[in-house]
Amino acid sequence: MFVTRFAATSLGSMAYVTSEDAIEAPRSPLIFFHGFGGGASSYEWSKVYPAFATAHPVFAPDLLGWGRSQHPQRDYTSEDYLVSLEDFIRAVSDVPVTAIASSFTAALIIRLAVLRPELFDSIFLVCPSGFRDFGQAAERRIPAPIINTPGLDRAIYALGATNELAVRSFLERFIFADRDRISPDIVNAYLTSARKPNADYAALSFLRGDLYFDLAQYVPDLSVPTALVWGDLARFTPPEIGQKLANLNRDRVYLYPSIPDAGIFPHLELPAIVTGLLARWLQSLCSMPGRSLEA
């Protein structure tokens, strides 16, 4: 059974889902971090993390400014999230963790692992991107001059993130490879998170590009064993980016073959496949001498 708890960080309280018997689980903690975008929340990993709760302490937080966590009224920076991610990990675990993360949050986890490698046992990432990787800006859904116009930005957020038809359209066009995999509970989870008071602050900081950075600058310094997973039809950050990132650090980074017929969130679209890949990654870490990356 899973319960919701709260952890204090220096920038605000973060809500997280965890299994009630997490403290008694015998293996290292797994923390599942969701990506960014209007309506994001820990629901994103809800079809994967239950499979691991009997063997590991499992934690699935809502990032600061998202879901049920506090929503400070501020212009967020990448450094804000690096601080709150570190605070959260230290709050829930006194041993190194395996971080599982997607998209922009996955890129932040790489940066944090470079700064604080002692926090991590390993990392499992889905479509990581800083959205300025290799000096190239990722595809935008909304042109920069429009989303950076004060007043208009919040109107766009209200229209695009808090409206059921718009949310479904966004999931169909940008997140899922197959629209038939979008269930009503997925749409409702995004709507519920997007409609929280002050939810627009974090979302707009991301959409404006205030948080973006070049992930390629950090990957060569990564010392934590890291797995990369990609959907072969991922928008914004195609699988070719994954290969380029893996080539920057062949000693520490392992790239799994891309998942066929999957978009940028295969863990939400084809959760059984991602669950199997994560289980394989964890098993390979337990069994390989000297932390070899022969995954």
Side-chain angles (χ1 to χ4, degrees), residues 83 124 127 153 183 258 267 272 290:
V83 168
F124 183 92
C127 299
D153 56 353
S183 62
S258 59
H267 47 295

Side-chain angles (χ1 to χ4, degrees), residues 6-16 70 84 87-88 90-92:
F6 293 86
T9 77
S10 54
L11 296 176
S13 175
M14 287 177 60
Y16 65 97
Q70 275 191 258
S84 60
D87 287 350
F88 180 81
R90 294 189 185 280
V92 300

Side-chain angles (χ1 to χ4, degrees), residues 30 32 43-56 58 98 100 124-126 227 229 256 259 262 265-284:
L30 308 183
F32 294 79
Y43 176 88
E44 182 189 307
W45 284 102
S46 63
K47 301 178 185 299
V48 175
Y49 63 70
F52 299 92
T54 58
H56 297 264
V58 165
T98 288
I100 301 99
F124 183 92
L125 306 177
V126 177
V229 173
Y256 281 97
I259 300 172
F265 287 170
H267 47 295
L268 192 55
E269 188 168 9
L270 296 170
I273 293 177
V274 177
T275 297
L277 291 175
L278 177 55
R280 179 182 171 189
W281 174 250
L282 296 172
Q283 183 59 40
S284 69

Side-chain angles (χ1 to χ4, degrees), residues 38-115:
S41 73
S42 60
Y43 176 88
E44 182 189 307
W45 284 102
S46 63
K47 301 178 185 299
V48 175
Y49 63 70
F52 299 92
T54 58
H56 297 264
V58 165
F59 305 92
D62 291 332
L63 299 182
L64 198 69
W66 307 87
R68 290 162 295 181
S69 292
Q70 275 191 258
H71 292 63
Q73 298 181 46
R74 60 186 294 141
D75 293 327
Y76 290 82
T77 66
S78 293
E79 287 68 29
D80 289 336
Y81 282 103
L82 291 173
V83 168
S84 60
L85 287 170
E86 179 179 356
D87 287 350
F88 180 81
I89 293 171
R90 294 189 185 280
V92 300
S93 179
D94 56 5
V95 298
V97 305
T98 288
I100 301 99
S102 65
S103 193
F104 186 74
T105 310
L108 290 171
I109 289 295
I110 287 179
R111 285 185 59 176
L112 183 58
V114 170
L115 290 170

Side-chain angles (χ1 to χ4, degrees), residues 7 10 17 32 37 61 71 96 148 156 168 198 208 212 218 238 249 254 276 283:
S10 54
V17 175
F32 294 79
H71 292 63
N148 280 282
I156 290 171
R168 176 171 281 278
N198 300 320
R208 286 193 298 261
Y212 297 174
Y218 299 91
N249 190 337
Y254 178 84
Q283 183 59 40

